[in-house]
Amino acid sequence: MSSYPGYDPKSGFEKWLDARLPIIRLGYDTFIFPTPRNLNYWWTFGAILAVILMSQIITGIILAMHYVPHVDLAFDSIQHIKRDVNFGWMLQPMHAVGASMMFLAVYIHMFRGIYYGSHKSPREVLWIVGVVIYLLMMATGFMGYVLPWGQMSFWGATVITNLFGAFPLVGESLTNWLWGGFAVDDPTLNRFFSLHFVLPFAILGLVMLHVWALHVPGNNNPTGVSVKNVDKDTLPFHPYYTIKDAFAIVVFLMVFVAFVFFIPDALNHPDNYIRANPLVTPPHIVPEWYYLPFYAMLRAVPNKLGGVITMFGAIAVLFVLPWLDTSKVRSMRYRPLAKLFFIIFVLACIGLGWAGAKSPTDLVFATGTDAATGAPVGFSFLWFARILTLYYYAFFVVILPVLGLVEKPKDRPESIQKSVLKSAPEEA
Amino acid sequence: MAETVSTPVENPSRRDFIYIATGAAGAVGVGLYAWPLIDQMNPAADTKALSTIEVDMSGVEVGQQIVVKWQGKPIFVRHRTQKEINEARAVDVSTLRDPQTDEQRLVVNAEGKYEPQFLIMIGICTHLGCVPIGNNSGDYDGWFCPCHGSHYDTAGRIRKGPAPKNLYLPPYQYLTDTLIKIG
Amino acid sequence: MRLSKLTATVIATAALGLIVGTASASEGPELKHVEFSFEGVFGTYDKAAAQRGFQVYQESCTNCHSMKLLSIRNLGEAGGPFYDEEHPNANENPVIKAIAAMFTVTDGPDSEGDMFERPAKPFDRFPSPFANEQAARASNGGALPPDFSVLVSAREHGPQYIYSLLTSYEDDAPEGVELRDGMNYNAAFKGGQIGMPPPLFEDLVEYSDGTKASVEQMAHDVVTFMAWASDPKMEERKRMGWMVMIYLFIFALLMYGSYKAVWRDVEH
C-alpha cells in the first residue's frame, strides 16, 4: 500500500483539527483514493452529474427568489425573470436546459454501468442508491416542469397525476390527495414548488451515499477485472482523475452552453408559452424528452392499470438488475452476445423515446393505402412501442439471466495493469 | 511507478506553466460566473423603471400632509401653515443636533425661488427606520416617532430623542409650482 | 474490444437528433419559408424592420390584441427597436415618452376612490384592448385574439407561421370548404377557417422611411417586432454566448494540456 500512505497531518493546527473534526482526512481519503488506471471517458459522467446537480441547485435557489407559485402569477413571474431580473434571461434557461443535460448525463452514466457490469457484486448497493437518485430526479424534473404553468405544465401534471387514479380502491382518494383538490390547481402548484425545492437536497444526500458506497468496493473499470495489486493497477484519483474529469466537464459545458445561449427553447414545447388553461387541452400532450420512453410504454398497454404498472415496472426492474444479470463476467467487452443485445437495448430505448413523441396512430412506415378511405396504412407507433417495450423487459428478465448461463465469454486480461500496457515491461 | 518508461526529462517549468494557466483561467471563469449570481439580487429593470414618480401637490390643503410611496418608502408631503414655517425659522440653528436652516430643508422651484409651504421628506425615522407620526405631533409640533421617542420639529429636524439626523430629503425637483418629480 | 467509437457516435447522434427532433415535430399546413434577420447563431433584430413592425402593431393590431407582459419602456431598452445610446434609460428617451403619450391607461383609485384615465408613461404596461377574456371573446365572435407578448415562442416555427398566416388569406374559400358564419378562409391556419378578418391590406400604414407597405412587407416587419417582443434579450444572449463559448474553448485546450501533462508518465 506504499502508494496510499493515508493522511499525515503536518502542522500543529492540522493535528489539532484532525483529533477533533477530521474533515481534511475526509477530503484526503475521498480524493487520494485508489482508482483503476484504465477508466475511459464514459467514467467522467459521474463528475459531470455532480457539477450539473450543483448548478441546478444554485440556479434553482436563485429562481425561487423571483418565482411566484400562484396560478395567476406563475406564468408571468417566469417572464418577469427572463425580461426584468438582472441576468434572468441567462439563469432561467440554465435551469431549464440544465434539467435536460442532467438526464442526458444520467442516461449515459446508467448505460455505462450496465455495459461494464458496474451493478454487479460487490456494487449492488451502489447501483440501487443510483436508481433511487434517478427516481427522485424523475419526480423533481416532473414537478419542476409544472412550475412555469404553461399548457404543457398543466396538462402534463394532469396526465401524470391521473396515473395514480389507476390503482384500484384508493385511486381517487390518492389523486385528490396529490392535488389538494379535485383537479390540478393552486394547491397542487404550491406543493409541487415546495417539493421541487426540497427534493434536490435529498438527491444531494443520496449522492453522498452513492460516493460512499463507491469508496468501499472501489471503481469498476472497462475490463471488469477487479483490482489485484493496488500499486500496479491503480492511480490516486487526484490528480489523475480530477484533471481528466475536469477536462470532460469543460467539454460537456460547451454543449450545455450552446443550448442555453443559442437554442434555449429547443428542448421546450411551444405550448408551454401559452398560459395554462384548464378548459382547453392541447391537441398533442408530450412530456419532456427524458420521460418519452416511459410515456411510450404507458400508451403501449391498452389497459390503464396495466399501462401504469408497465411504466413503473420498467424502473422497478432496475432495482433487481444486479441479480438478474447472472454472468460472472462484468464487462460486456468480453461478452460478444451480451454486447449485441445491449446495443439493441440502447436503440430500443431511443426508439421508445421516438414512439413517445409520436401519436400512437402515426405510422413508422406505410405499407400501402386503405382501399376504402385512401388513408395510408402500415406499421404504427403503437405496435412499434409494444415490440420495443417487450424487448425492454425481455432484455432484463430473459436475455441477461439466460445469457449469463449459456454465453461463453472471451478471454479476459489477467489484470488491469496488463490490459493497459502496450509493451509488457519486466517485472521490477 | 514500476512500469514508467524512461522518457527524456522535460523542462519542469513547462508543466508548471500549463497548470498555472489552467488554474488561472478557471479562477477567472468562476469569478465571471459569480457576477450574474450576485447581480440577480439587485433591483430588477421593472423596479428601477418605477424609481421616479411625479407628485401633484395642488390638492394638498394648508395644514395637511399626504404620504406617497417612492421606491417602497413613505414620502411626507406637508403643506405647512405660516405658524409652522415661523416656528421652524425661529430656532437658533447652532443649538441643533444636526444643524440645518429651514431653507436647507427645501429645494428651489423652476424659477429659483423657495416654496416654503411645501416640505417634502422621506418619512423614515433616522434612528431605526420606523415611520414617525405627523400632524404636529411631539414636543416640537412636527413629527414624533413612537418606536423610541424621537421628536422632530416643523422642518423635520431632530430635536429630542435617540435619532442622530434630521429626516432625510428625497432627491426631487419642481416641474411647476405644485408639481414635483421625485427621484 | 470496446464499445466502438462509431457505435457510440451513432447512438449519441440518434439520441440528440431525437431530442431536438421531437421538439420541432410539425403538423398542419405547409408554411412559407421566409428569412428573418434574427435567425441563426449570429442573427440580430433588424431595428428598422422592428420599428416599422411596431407601427403596424400600433395602428392595426392593438384594437384586438393585447401585449400584457411588455412595458412601453421595453421599446427603448438595450436590444429594443427604439434603443438610443444617448438615452440608455428608456424612461428618459424622448421617442419612448412620445410613444407612451399615445396610449391611455387606467390608473387609480384617486383620493375619491375612483379609477381615472391618464396618458401612459414609459413604465406602464401596454394597455389591453379588452378588460378581460370574456369581453375579448364577446367582441370577436367568440374567438380570443391571443396576447402578443410571447406569441412567436408559443407557435411552432413561430416567425414563419405568423408570416404565413398574415399572408395566406384568400377572398374565396376553395371548393368543398363551407365557411362558417363570421369566419375567413386562411390556408395557413389549421382547418382553414379563422375568426380574425384579414388584418393587413396594401398601404394600410404609411411608413415614414418610404418603404412600400405591401402586405408581405408589413407581415415581415410585424413578425420581426413580435419576435423581439417574445425574446427581447436574444441579442444579448447570443453575444454573451459567443464569449462564453470562446472562453470554454480556450479553457478546454488548457485543461487538455494539463491532463496530458499529468498523465505523461503513466501508461493507461
Side-chain angles (χ1 to χ4, degrees):
Chain A
M1 291 298 213
S2 56
S3 302
Y4 304 94
Y7 174 57
D8 177 25
K10 293 277 189 319
S11 69
F13 173 73
E14 282 180 75
K15 284 179 182 149
W16 180 87
L17 186 65
D18 197 49
R20 286 159 180 81
L21 179 69
I23 193 164
I24 304 178
R25 182 180 296 277
L26 177 70
Y28 189 95
D29 291 346
T30 306
F31 286 100
I32 312 296
F33 168 76
T35 309
R37 60 173 57 217
N38 59 339
L39 299 189
N40 56 31
Y41 278 107
W42 298 111
W43 258 263
T44 59
F45 283 89
I48 288 170
L49 279 162
V51 168
I52 310 173
L53 176 63
M54 286 322 297
S55 167
Q56 288 300 89
I57 288 178
I58 291 169
T59 51
I61 289 171
I62 285 171
L63 292 181
M65 294 180 189
H66 306 282
Y67 172 74
V68 185
H70 186 281
V71 289
D72 294 336
L73 303 169
F75 185 89
D76 290 0
S77 73
I78 299 288
Q79 286 298 320
H80 169 249
I81 291 170
K82 292 169 86 160
R83 289 165 190 271
D84 285 335
V85 172
N86 301 322
F87 290 101
W89 52 267
M90 172 179 114
L91 297 166
Q92 192 276 339
M94 273 179 72
H95 195 70
V97 172
S100 282
M101 290 297 134
M102 195 154 169
F103 275 97
L104 178 65
V106 91
Y107 283 134
I108 295 172
H109 192 63
M110 290 166 77
F111 281 132
R112 187 271 289 162
I114 296 174
Y115 181 76
Y116 292 112
S118 298
H119 51 279
K120 292 189 198 183
S121 172
R123 298 184 183 83
E124 299 94 327
V125 175
L126 173 60
W127 170 263
I128 288 170
V129 172
V131 177
V132 176
I133 292 173
Y134 172 57
L135 257 182
L136 284 185
M137 274 175 63
M138 302 262 271
T140 307
F142 160 67
M143 288 188 278
Y145 194 59
V146 176
L147 302 184
W149 209 243
Q151 274 289 68
M152 278 299 158
S153 299
F154 180 87
W155 291 100
T158 300
V159 167
I160 300 299
T161 49
N162 265 310
L163 293 180
F164 294 92
F167 294 109
L169 300 175
V170 296
E172 197 186 331
S173 331
L174 190 58
T175 44
N176 287 352
W177 175 77
L178 280 173
W179 291 332
F182 307 104
V184 175
D185 209 334
D186 206 34
T188 327
L189 178 61
N190 272 283
R191 62 192 58 186
F192 278 17
F193 177 54
S194 170
L195 291 171
H196 179 76
F197 195 100
V198 79
L199 281 183
F201 296 97
I203 292 176
L204 187 62
L206 283 163
V207 166
M208 289 174 188
L209 289 185
H210 195 63
V211 173
W212 189 12
L214 171 72
H215 274 65
V216 179
N219 276 91
N220 184 30
N221 68 83
T223 65
V225 176
S226 297
V227 171
K228 296 198 173 73
N229 181 325
V230 170
D231 283 340
K232 290 176 181 165
D233 290 344
T234 71
L235 295 166
F237 187 84
H238 178 76
Y240 292 98
Y241 286 106
T242 40
I243 192 75
K244 186 170 182 173
D245 285 349
F247 169 61
I249 287 165
V250 176
V251 173
F252 190 87
L253 281 181
M254 291 175 82
V255 178
F256 190 166
V257 158
F259 271 94
V260 170
F261 288 96
F262 298 116
I263 42 173
D265 285 329
L267 303 173
N268 192 6
H269 196 288
D271 278 3
N272 231 25
Y273 277 102
I274 302 173
R275 198 183 297 264
N277 183 349
L279 305 179
V280 182
T281 307
H284 200 167
I285 302 177
V286 278
E288 292 267 81
W289 69 267
Y290 34 87
Y291 304 125
L292 288 174
F294 299 100
Y295 192 51
M297 290 189 204
L298 172 76
R299 296 190 302 187
V301 182
N303 172 287
K304 182 175 176 183
L305 181 59
V308 173
I309 291 172
T310 306
M311 187 178 80
F312 286 122
I315 299 168
V317 73
L318 296 174
F319 282 101
V320 289
L321 172 62
W323 295 276
L324 291 174
D325 190 351
T326 52
S327 175
K328 294 279 177 287
V329 179
R330 288 202 189 96
S331 174
M332 289 189 190
R333 257 191 201 177
Y334 311 105
R335 301 176 61 195
L337 271 178
K339 180 176 175 173
L340 178 69
F341 284 113
F342 172 80
I343 291 170
I344 298 173
F345 173 70
V346 175
L347 294 173
C349 290
I350 294 171
L352 279 168
W354 186 28
K358 296 283 182 179
S359 169
T361 51
D362 286 351
L363 299 183
V364 184
F365 54 84
T367 51
T369 48
D370 188 281
T373 61
V377 292
F379 184 53
S380 71
F381 273 97
L382 178 64
W383 281 100
F384 185 59
R386 284 178 177 171
I387 292 168
L388 295 180
T389 305
L390 209 59
Y391 182 81
Y392 180 98
Y393 273 97
F395 179 74
F396 288 114
V397 299
V398 181
I399 296 171
L400 284 181
V402 172
L403 266 190
L405 304 176
V406 303
E407 185 182 17
K408 185 172 169 3
K410 294 197 285 190
D411 290 340
R412 283 165 288 156
E414 279 169 46
S415 70
I416 293 172
Q417 187 201 23
K418 287 268 169 61
S419 76
V420 296
L421 297 191
K422 282 137 201 143
S423 53
E426 296 296 312
E427 284 296 316
Chain B
M1 313 264 153
E3 76 285 3
T4 303
V5 184
S6 64
T7 44
V9 179
E10 274 202 53
N11 187 356
S13 70
R14 212 179 113 186
R15 277 203 214 184
D16 289 348
F17 171 73
I18 189 94
Y19 296 152
I20 291 165
T22 310
V28 169
V30 169
L32 292 175
Y33 175 57
W35 174 241
L37 306 184
I38 295 163
D39 190 38
Q40 53 87 18
M41 280 171 67
N42 277 320
D46 55 338
T47 310
K48 281 191 258 182
L50 290 173
S51 57
T52 56
I53 58 163
E54 285 175 14
V55 181
D56 182 4
M57 302 187 293
S58 57
V60 186
E61 304 289 336
V62 176
Q64 196 196 358
Q65 169 181 306
I66 62 166
V67 181
V68 295
K69 212 164 109 182
W70 170 73
Q71 293 190 351
K73 296 185 279 271
I75 300 295
F76 292 160
V77 179
R78 181 157 185 91
H79 194 158
R80 297 191 290 184
T81 60
Q82 194 56 46
K83 176 169 169 282
E84 289 169 32
I85 299 170
N86 293 343
E87 272 179 31
R89 302 200 158 183
V91 178
D92 177 6
V93 173
S94 62
T95 65
L96 297 177
R97 183 178 302 168
D98 182 9
Q100 271 186 316
T101 63
D102 188 55
E103 287 198 340
Q104 283 174 313
R105 308 283 296 154
L106 305 171
V107 165
V108 291
N109 66 11
E111 288 111 51
K113 287 194 306 204
Y114 284 104
E115 307 268 0
Q117 69 274 31
F118 288 119
L119 180 63
I120 294 116
M121 305 181 296
I122 299 175
I124 293 179
C125 180
T126 57
H127 179 221
L128 291 171
C130 296
V131 178
I133 298 163
N135 291 330
N136 309 110
S137 311
D139 296 354
Y140 297 88
D141 287 346
W143 287 265
F144 169 69
C145 181
C147 289
H148 304 96
S150 291
H151 298 254
Y152 297 91
D153 67 13
T154 54
R157 293 173 296 200
I158 180 66
R159 301 294 289 273
K160 191 173 144 190
K165 293 278 183 187
N166 301 335
L167 289 176
Y168 293 119
L169 308 181
Y172 69 96
Q173 64 191 76
Y174 280 90
L175 301 177
T176 71
D177 282 355
T178 55
L179 183 68
I180 55 166
K181 186 179 104 176
I182 305 178
Chain C
M1 250 217 354
R2 48 186 77 189
L3 184 60
S4 77
K5 290 222 167 76
L6 185 66
T7 321
T9 315
V10 168
I11 292 174
T13 316
L16 265 181
L18 182 80
I19 294 167
V20 179
T22 51
S24 56
S26 173
E27 284 164 42
E30 197 138 320
L31 303 179
K32 296 181 184 177
H33 284 277
V34 276
E35 289 188 2
F36 289 98
S37 61
F38 48 85
E39 291 166 329
V41 292
F42 294 107
T44 54
Y45 295 117
D46 177 344
K47 292 286 180 300
Q51 291 185 8
R52 292 193 300 267
F54 171 71
Q55 188 183 347
V56 176
Y57 163 74
Q58 196 203 3
E59 292 181 22
S60 175
C61 314
T62 44
N63 292 332
C64 299
H65 291 276
S66 59
M67 195 162 65
K68 289 181 196 167
L69 299 177
L70 274 82
S71 302
I72 297 163
R73 66 181 160 87
N74 292 141
L75 295 168
E77 289 173 348
F82 295 96
Y83 176 66
D84 182 351
E85 280 173 7
E86 284 179 31
H87 302 279
N89 179 356
N91 288 343
E92 318 263 305
N93 185 331
V95 179
I96 302 301
K97 282 182 170 173
I99 289 172
M102 294 192 287
F103 291 95
T104 304
V105 294
T106 306
D107 198 352
D110 61 14
S111 51
E112 306 294 311
D114 298 323
M115 302 304 277
F116 59 94
E117 301 213 318
R118 61 166 173 80
K121 296 267 168 60
F123 57 74
D124 282 314
R125 297 283 181 108
F126 279 95
S128 298
F130 302 106
N132 49 50
E133 184 185 329
Q134 286 72 12
R137 284 189 189 277
S139 306
N140 289 282
L144 177 69
D147 185 83
F148 270 17
S149 312
V150 286
L151 195 59
V152 169
S153 301
R155 297 288 182 273
E156 262 173 38
H157 308 294
Q160 274 77 18
Y161 173 73
I162 293 169
Y163 177 86
S164 303
L165 190 78
L166 290 173
T167 55
S168 298
Y169 279 93
E170 282 163 36
D171 291 339
D172 301 303
E175 293 274 325
V177 176
E178 189 76 23
L179 275 185
R180 277 173 285 134
D181 202 29
M183 300 301 257
N184 306 277
Y185 185 76
N186 188 314
F189 194 67
K190 205 171 182 181
Q193 308 200 23
I194 187 168
M196 172 168 72
L200 301 178
F201 47 87
E202 193 94 357
D203 294 325
L204 172 72
V205 300
E206 192 181 329
Y207 284 137
S208 59
D209 63 3
T211 308
K212 172 97 180 90
S214 65
V215 170
E216 283 75 17
Q217 180 67 44
M218 287 186 287
H220 200 272
D221 290 343
V222 82
V223 166
T224 302
F225 171 71
M226 289 170 72
W228 164 79
S230 283
D231 193 1
K233 302 290 182 180
M234 181 206 70
E235 291 182 4
E236 193 177 358
R237 204 180 59 229
K238 286 177 180 171
R239 210 179 312 122
M240 181 162 303
W242 280 112
M243 292 194 291
V244 175
M245 287 302 273
I246 290 166
Y247 164 76
L248 281 179
F249 182 72
I250 294 167
F251 192 36
L253 287 181
L254 287 170
M255 205 51 111
Y256 188 72
S258 287
Y259 163 57
K260 281 292 168 197
V262 168
W263 283 77
R264 170 174 295 273
D265 297 332
V266 182
E267 281 205 67
H268 58 283

